[in-house]
Amino acid sequence: MADNRTPTGAAAASTLLQRFQDHTPHSPHLLGFLTLFITASILMFLTGVTLTAGILALIFLTPFIIFTSPIWVPLAFLLFATTAGVLSLGGIALVSAAGFSWAYRYFKGMHPPGSEGLEYARSRIYDTASHVKDYAREYGGYLQSKVKDAAPGA
């Protein structure tokens, strides 16, 4: 007969010890956790020091900033406007150079990207213009016949 009782004594201790050893972290896991803990602690400390230094600097430098703001505000505006202008001119120059390069390749017959769309649009405009011209001729002839009917001597 099988014994279904719970182990007692030394057998229970060895079973408990085996379960405990199965759940204990191995050396690489323990080293990884320790590294994570130390790194997170250092980063939290540095965050606290940075926040404290920023608040103290704001407290001590606020009077200086307030008294010298008539100088800093126009200077900041001038610096912002100059930077925005230079960046805008650079962007416009870059877009212009890209456009001229595309146009040069298009007119030389090198078929740059997007030229198929331009050719399609050109053909659509030409077709529409020719249809409008034909319609105008037909409708113009219709109007001239109506004018002759209304005023035979005209």
Side-chain angles (χ1 to χ4, degrees):
M1 290 203 162
D3 190 11
N4 288 337
R5 294 180 294 161
T6 58
T8 58
S14 68
T15 305
L16 182 62
L17 185 61
Q18 182 63 33
R19 285 187 180 179
F20 182 70
Q21 286 175 350
D22 288 342
H23 293 309
T24 57
H26 300 293
S27 179
H29 293 138
L30 188 60
L31 189 61
F33 178 73
L34 189 60
T35 304
L36 179 67
F37 180 74
I38 291 172
T39 305
S41 299
I42 291 171
L43 288 176
M44 288 295 289
F45 174 74
L46 289 176
T47 302
V49 168
T50 303
L51 187 62
T52 304
I55 290 173
L56 288 176
L58 185 65
I59 289 171
F60 288 118
L61 292 179
T62 299
F64 177 73
I65 292 171
I66 290 173
F67 288 136
T68 59
S69 64
I71 297 169
W72 293 110
V73 171
L75 187 64
F77 177 75
L78 181 67
L79 185 64
F80 173 76
T82 304
T83 304
V86 167
L87 290 176
S88 296
L89 286 175
I92 290 171
L94 185 67
V95 168
S96 298
F100 286 133
S101 171
W102 188 91
Y104 175 77
R105 286 184 283 151
Y106 178 75
F107 288 120
K108 286 292 186 179
M110 296 181 195
H111 302 290
S115 62
E116 295 84 17
L118 186 64
E119 292 296 328
Y120 176 72
R122 180 188 298 183
S123 68
R124 287 287 306 262
I125 291 171
Y126 177 77
D127 291 342
T128 304
S130 65
H131 288 302
V132 168
K133 186 171 101 176
D134 293 342
Y135 183 74
R137 280 188 187 152
E138 291 175 14
Y139 193 69
Y142 173 76
L143 285 178
Q144 284 180 354
S145 69
K146 287 295 181 183
V147 169
K148 286 185 181 178
D149 289 343

